[in-house]
Amino acid sequence: MKELVLSYNFDKPYVYSGSKEDTYVNLLLEVKPGDELRKEEYAVKGTDFCIVLDVSGSMNEYIENGITKLETAVKSTKNLYQFLTPEDSISLIIYHSFPVVILDHAKNLSEEEFNNAVEKAYNESGATNISAALAKARELLKINTGNTKKIIFLTDGLPVEDREEDGIREGILIAEENISITALGIGKDFNYSFIEKIVKPGRGTTDWIKNASQSIKVFENVLKRSKSVVVNEIEIEIKVSEKVRVNDYYRAVPETTYYGKMELDKDRIYKIKLDDVENNRFYQYVFEIAIPSAKNEYDGKFRVMSAKLKYHIPATNERKEDNVDIVIDMTSDYEKSNYEYQSVKDIVQRCNIKRLDDYLNEYISKNNDRGVLKTLDEIIERAEEIGEDEIAENYRKIKEQYIITKNIPNDLLIAASNSSTKINDEGFITDDEDLEALYNDIF
């Protein structure tokens, strides 16, 4: 099927129609490419890549014995050459106090030319101006070439020449240009919460680079995934039925993100833009919904909302649209209304852990001791309930350090936030195939 498929499920498939109060349910919405669309022939023919590398003074610090963060970034970028095709273009920006454009939509470079360009990163150093670098990347990629567009952004620290608010604003502008972005933090001194906020408007992704070998793999995977994109310019337009309330919503997969309360317009419509969809990946969103009580007890369907899915297939330059009514079963059987899908409930619980991690970072920034400890306890409890022992341990370490020192080592905070972001897995489509075999085939 050469289509993007939208499906859904509720954690409670039946609502008791005899209830005198609203019923709270969680809706899981999933988007994935159909079988035909997953074929190699539908992968994008060309991508405009823009690599944005931090070359501030701290990048000369070691990430492991004998290897600096800057050397790691340079080697990881050089490694990408072997995966570029004649249809791809490559832009390269290095930044410190200001951005420097090294390559602008370069195509068909020799490997020597590419490596020489990347090595110019060694010639610059200074402070950190993240928003200026992102603005320059946006300026380069907003030119319409017919290719899909991808920013791979790397930082090792905090903005110095600008503010976090400036970087977040640039993230919003990048999203408005339909440019996909992945933000990578390297080392132990960056703010993971900040790079999440940069990619959040465009539904982009993040990762944490801990060592040199991992860096090469992370860069490589980001580029390969971008070249396996089959659908872009995706929008879900949701129209919520009268008296139905939608509260908080999340992206569950491929990277768990808390988006807060859904604010409907006067027509009860809300639009969600999705990141580019790859041929081997699905996307999931979770919505907290209140179903109004029925006037009379009955058995039948109730439309919660309608969803209009719009998207573009770059390989064929087709624009498509699909409409889905999202309905739930109303029942007069009280026992039936107690049925639950545990798998959906677990996804929701993991999303709530991510929401709490966002709250935790806010409490830490405001030195709210009571809020920090209360939130840590709640995260640990929820993680233990669903068997996420490693995540529970990450936050337990934070709590121990905070009680003793009223301070949290940044590497512990990064590890915790990174684990809560990846808590719902990466969203690879496996069908009946072995996951390891599929992973090796793709990567």
Side-chain angles (χ1 to χ4, degrees), residues 204-377:
T205 54
T206 61
D207 217 333
W208 175 26
I209 294 172
K210 310 177 194 69
N211 55 58
S213 59
Q214 184 210 15
S215 176
I216 289 174
K217 197 66 178 173
V218 167
F219 268 71
E220 186 177 313
N221 286 351
V222 172
L223 185 134
K224 284 183 174 179
R225 288 170 184 169
S226 300
K227 292 182 67 61
S228 67
V229 165
V230 291
V231 179
N232 67 351
E233 299 179 26
I234 309 156
E235 181 182 89
I236 303 175
E237 181 181 294
I238 292 172
K239 184 174 177 61
V240 180
S241 298
E242 291 294 332
K243 297 186 179 179
V244 172
R245 288 183 287 115
V246 183
N247 298 317
D248 287 348
Y249 82 104
Y250 310 78
R251 178 179 61 185
V253 171
E255 185 161 299
T256 303
T257 309
Y258 172 54
Y259 282 100
K261 185 174 175 58
M262 181 183 286
E263 300 290 346
L264 304 179
D265 68 14
K266 62 181 178 60
D267 296 316
R268 300 186 62 77
I269 288 173
Y270 188 84
K271 297 178 181 179
I272 300 173
K273 285 190 174 184
L274 273 65
D275 196 9
D276 298 348
V277 169
E278 302 135 48
N279 61 6
N280 64 318
R281 225 171 191 186
F282 61 88
Y283 286 66
Q284 291 179 334
Y285 281 78
V286 168
F287 304 87
E288 298 175 353
I289 294 173
I291 307 294
S293 59
K295 290 182 179 179
N296 300 297
E297 203 170 304
Y298 74 102
D299 294 273
K301 304 288 186 182
F302 175 78
R303 188 173 72 173
V304 177
M305 61 178 68
S306 61
K308 182 185 293 183
L309 179 64
K310 303 176 185 177
Y311 56 97
H312 174 245
I313 302 175
T316 58
N317 198 27
E318 292 177 84
R319 294 196 177 275
K320 293 208 165 193
E321 187 175 302
D322 187 26
N323 293 282
V324 176
D325 278 339
I326 296 172
V327 300
I328 197 164
D329 285 300
M330 305 296 290
T331 180
S332 57
D333 184 342
Y334 180 76
E335 291 300 320
K336 210 174 185 181
S337 70
N338 290 321
Y339 293 173
E340 293 182 335
Y341 287 119
Q342 190 59 45
S343 59
V344 178
K345 291 188 75 66
D346 285 349
I347 291 171
V348 173
Q349 187 78 303
R350 294 186 185 104
C351 287
N352 278 316
I353 289 172
K354 179 56 195 168
R355 172 179 56 82
L356 290 168
D357 179 79
D358 284 3
Y359 289 172
L360 175 65
N361 279 278
E362 288 296 322
Y363 289 137
I364 291 170
S365 69
K366 295 175 181 176
N367 297 312
N368 184 333
D369 293 348
R370 186 170 177 273
V372 167
L373 293 172
K374 182 180 178 182
T375 306
L376 283 169
D377 284 339

Side-chain angles (χ1 to χ4, degrees), residues 55 60 68 70-72 74-75 118-124:
V55 295
N60 289 306
T68 67
L70 184 56
E71 287 175 302
T72 299
V74 167
K75 288 180 180 178
V118 176
E119 286 180 1
K120 289 182 180 179
Y122 292 127
N123 301 335
E124 300 278 346

Side-chain angles (χ1 to χ4, degrees), residues 158 164 187-196 208 210 354 356-366 372 375-376 379 391 393-399 401-402 407-421:
L158 305 174
E164 287 192 358
K188 301 177 180 179
D189 299 317
F190 71 97
N191 182 340
Y192 199 95
S193 177
F194 171 50
I195 67 169
E196 284 183 296
W208 175 26
K210 310 177 194 69
K354 179 56 195 168
L356 290 168
D357 179 79
D358 284 3
Y359 289 172
L360 175 65
N361 279 278
E362 288 296 322
Y363 289 137
I364 291 170
S365 69
K366 295 175 181 176
V372 167
T375 306
L376 283 169
I379 292 174
I391 287 176
E393 183 60 24
N394 282 338
Y395 288 96
R396 198 174 288 112
K397 288 177 182 176
I398 288 177
K399 181 181 176 183
Q401 285 289 324
Y402 196 79
N407 187 42
I408 302 172
N410 204 49
D411 59 333
L412 290 184
L413 196 57
I414 292 172
S417 291
N418 179 250
S419 65
S420 69
T421 298

Side-chain angles (χ1 to χ4, degrees), residues 5 22 29 45 69 81 86 139 176 192 259 277 367 383 426:
V5 181
D22 291 353
L29 205 63
K45 301 299 185 267
K69 289 180 279 189
Y81 179 83
E139 179 184 316
E176 290 175 355
Y192 199 95
Y259 282 100
V277 169
N367 297 312
E426 301 240 33

